[in-house]
Amino acid sequence: MLKGIDPRLNAEVLYALRAMGHGDTLIIADTNFPSDSIARQTVLGDLLRMDNLTAGQAAEAVLSALPLDTFVDDFAGRMEIVGSPDEVPPVQQEVQDAIDAAEGEPRKMVGIERFAFYDMAKQAYAVIQTGERRFYGCFMFRKGVIPPQD
């Protein structure tokens, strides 16, 4: 245990979050996502796991440490539902709520078409697979910056 660090963040996830730079992307994936094969193609090259958490719980933990990019509209994205791209199921609303809480204001995720999401994930810094069993529990976060302290 560490002071001020969410205990849901394991050492491997903390390492990746710290190593990422401004603009790097992180994928949080559900249990059905091809996480291992896609993670092998990422910058990190290894799959990270947060097995006992839902996507919302994992997002909440990650966002306790990871600043989201404020310079772009696609600071966070959700995998769109095939045939219903504007629908936001409960799993995605939970992650949206985690984003809004972390940011202190509403900031809406962008929708990303399923196959475009797979392609984006291959270019990500890392993939975290969660224990999320609901469909479409896949998300992208783009790392922002932390300003200097006066």
Side-chain angles (χ1 to χ4, degrees):
M1 299 290 294
L2 299 170
K3 288 182 176 182
I5 303 292
D6 189 310
R8 297 173 291 187
L9 296 172
N10 61 52
E12 292 80 14
V13 170
L14 284 170
Y15 171 83
L17 297 179
R18 175 64 178 92
M20 291 173 65
H22 181 216
D24 282 342
T25 57
L26 176 72
I27 301 298
I28 293 180
D30 63 32
T31 58
N32 289 299
F33 190 73
S35 296
D36 188 64
S37 61
I38 288 184
R40 292 171 194 255
Q41 299 173 64
T42 64
V43 174
L44 187 64
D46 291 317
L47 178 61
L48 303 173
R49 305 188 74 89
M50 295 177 83
D51 290 317
N52 296 320
L53 303 177
T54 66
Q57 292 166 334
E60 183 180 63
V62 165
L63 293 173
S64 73
L66 183 80
L68 291 174
D69 201 331
T70 57
F71 295 105
V72 295
D73 292 333
D74 65 343
F75 63 91
R78 60 178 181 81
M79 182 188 286
E80 293 177 346
I81 295 175
V82 174
S84 188
D86 295 327
E87 182 180 346
V88 178
V91 65
Q92 294 183 353
Q93 186 59 53
E94 289 171 16
V95 171
Q96 183 64 64
D97 292 345
I99 291 168
D100 295 347
E103 295 293 288
E105 65 181 359
R107 288 189 73 200
K108 188 175 178 183
M109 287 184 280
V110 298
I112 305 168
E113 186 273 331
R114 179 179 169 221
F115 292 108
F117 189 95
Y118 291 154
D119 290 340
M120 176 182 278
K122 292 173 187 174
Q123 302 301 312
Y125 187 87
V127 174
I128 298 172
Q129 185 171 35
T130 68
E132 181 61 67
R133 294 184 62 198
R134 293 173 288 179
F135 296 146
Y136 296 99
C138 298
F139 305 91
M140 177 277 299
F141 295 148
R142 189 175 305 279
K143 188 174 183 181
V145 298
I146 299 174
Q149 299 284 325
D150 288 334

